[in-house]
Amino acid sequence: MSWIEEVWPKKKPRQAHDARPVPDGLWDKCAACGKRVFSESFEKSWKVCAHCGHHHRLDAKSRLLQLNQGAYYTLIGEEVKTKDYLNFKDKKPYKQRLVEAQKKSGLSESILCARTKLASTEVVVAIFSFDFIGGSMGSVLGERFVRACEYATKHNLPFVCVTSSGGARMQEGVIALFQMAKTSMAVAKFKLTKNPFITILADPTSGGVAASMAMQADIIIAERGALIGFTGPRVIAQTLREDLPQGFQRADFQLKNGAVDMVVARKDMPKKLTSLLSKLTYKHATEESL
């Protein structure tokens, strides 16, 4: 041993088990930039990355809370329950998928319909849950959406729908496809009231949902970065055998090509909705008083 080692003895290398463990759930990883974000801050920002601004998917209950800022709400259509009409089975029985989706999302189906208040305006909202079998549109979603439209018509209220869906639910076959016509007819009847119908297209909005009620609103808002289109870009690229433009079918692309009216960041959505509803409902009230 040299005299240097006697004066400054070598420290034992730190073992892996000596490191302080990081508690589970303390950090989240951004799906876009890959950077870690503090979970508590991530939740407070409604799952928007602080580094790159990427909008991660938001569950239906959190979406409602973000829009109504904790105001009261009354659920609509919860009495309608899902049935396995076809006794469908792929890798799992459809009934098993439903039970798992209910546990995962905390909802009874892939849509949450309610009467609530956005700032000072009473509205009816319908919010899709992508956590529930990809926000797919089955018979119950269609029926609850129709009942929400009818409720808004009966009580003379504006209607706001937030979509996030892969399209029709394949486990219900043609019954799911029927919901495109059913929901479109409900929107057409609701529009006769002259109350505003606003849709917010969250990531993703595709398939039969994009081909029906999502694109039939008076005002169509796209959430920043959302994928919007009937068929996904990968399928289109494979079919055409061509490279697609940068950002194809994303919110800004759809705005540039006239498919949506505006692109709004999640943090600005409550304020933007409040502004639109106050203007649109004032105009409607003025017309009725003439």
Side-chain angles (χ1 to χ4, degrees):
M1 179 183 295
S2 69
W3 68 270
I4 296 178
E5 291 175 327
E6 290 180 359
V7 177
W8 290 292
K10 289 183 178 180
K11 292 183 179 180
K12 291 177 62 177
R14 191 170 184 177
Q15 301 297 321
H17 62 266
D18 292 334
R20 295 174 63 184
V22 178
D24 292 336
L26 189 61
W27 296 94
D28 284 290
K29 186 177 181 180
C30 177
C33 67
K35 293 183 179 179
R36 294 194 177 276
V37 289
F38 190 48
S39 295
E40 186 176 350
S41 301
F42 189 51
E43 293 298 328
K44 286 183 178 179
S45 67
W46 305 106
K47 294 191 175 182
V48 176
C49 178
H51 302 289
C52 67
H54 178 70
H55 287 45
H56 294 76
R57 289 165 187 163
L58 196 62
D59 64 272
K61 290 183 178 179
S62 296
R63 178 80 65 175
L64 177 60
L65 180 61
Q66 193 242 348
L67 293 179
N68 72 3
Q69 302 294 299
Y72 82 94
Y73 64 91
T74 303
L75 294 176
I76 300 170
E78 287 293 307
E79 66 278 5
V80 185
K81 304 299 181 183
T82 308
K83 295 180 181 179
D84 185 6
Y85 296 99
L86 306 177
N87 195 25
F88 193 93
K89 181 179 180 180
D90 46 271
K91 291 182 179 179
K92 297 178 183 178
Y94 181 37
K95 291 179 180 178
Q96 183 181 341
R97 288 192 182 277
L98 290 171
V99 172
E100 291 175 355
Q102 288 165 353
K103 289 180 179 179
K104 180 181 179 181
S105 65
L107 299 175
S108 59
E109 245 297 335
S110 56
I111 193 169
L112 187 158
C113 300
R115 175 176 180 166
T116 188
K117 182 178 285 189
L118 304 185
S120 59
T121 306
E122 293 275 346
V123 297
V124 172
V125 295
I127 304 174
F128 284 61
S129 172
F130 197 80
D131 289 341
F132 198 108
I133 315 182
S136 52
M137 181 168 61
S139 58
V140 171
L141 185 150
E143 180 61 22
R144 289 186 183 181
F145 182 89
V146 169
R147 294 192 183 196
C149 283
E150 291 173 346
Y151 186 98
T153 299
K154 179 180 178 180
H155 296 277
N156 200 34
L157 297 173
F159 190 26
V160 177
C161 180
V162 185
T163 60
S164 179
S165 173
R169 187 172 299 172
M170 59 174 252
Q171 289 87 353
E172 295 187 18
V174 71
I175 297 172
L177 295 176
F178 286 158
Q179 308 312 309
M180 295 173 62
K182 183 174 181 176
T183 54
S184 295
M185 183 60 71
V187 169
K189 288 183 178 179
F190 171 75
K191 284 187 173 183
L192 296 176
T193 67
K194 296 185 179 180
N195 277 304
F197 174 45
I198 299 174
T199 53
I200 300 170
L201 312 185
D203 182 66
T205 295
S206 58
V209 174
S212 56
M213 93 285 280
M215 307 301 286
Q216 294 172 352
D218 301 305
I219 297 179
I220 304 172
I221 305 172
E223 191 170 65
R224 183 170 293 172
L227 179 67
I228 303 163
F230 180 71
T231 305
R234 183 178 61 182
V235 175
I236 294 174
Q238 290 174 348
T239 303
L240 298 179
R241 297 180 182 179
E242 292 184 7
D243 293 332
L244 300 176
Q246 183 69 25
F248 180 73
Q249 288 190 326
R250 293 289 172 180
D252 289 334
F253 179 91
Q254 299 292 25
L255 177 65
K256 182 180 178 180
N257 289 277
V260 301
D261 297 306
M262 62 187 76
V263 177
V264 180
R266 187 172 295 166
K267 66 181 179 64
D268 299 324
M269 198 67 73
K271 184 178 179 181
K272 176 59 69 176
L273 270 180
T274 299
S275 175
L276 289 170
L277 288 169
S278 64
K279 293 173 183 176
L280 292 170
T281 53
Y282 173 79
K283 180 181 178 182
H284 179 46
T286 305
E287 287 177 348
E288 284 186 336
S289 63
L290 293 177

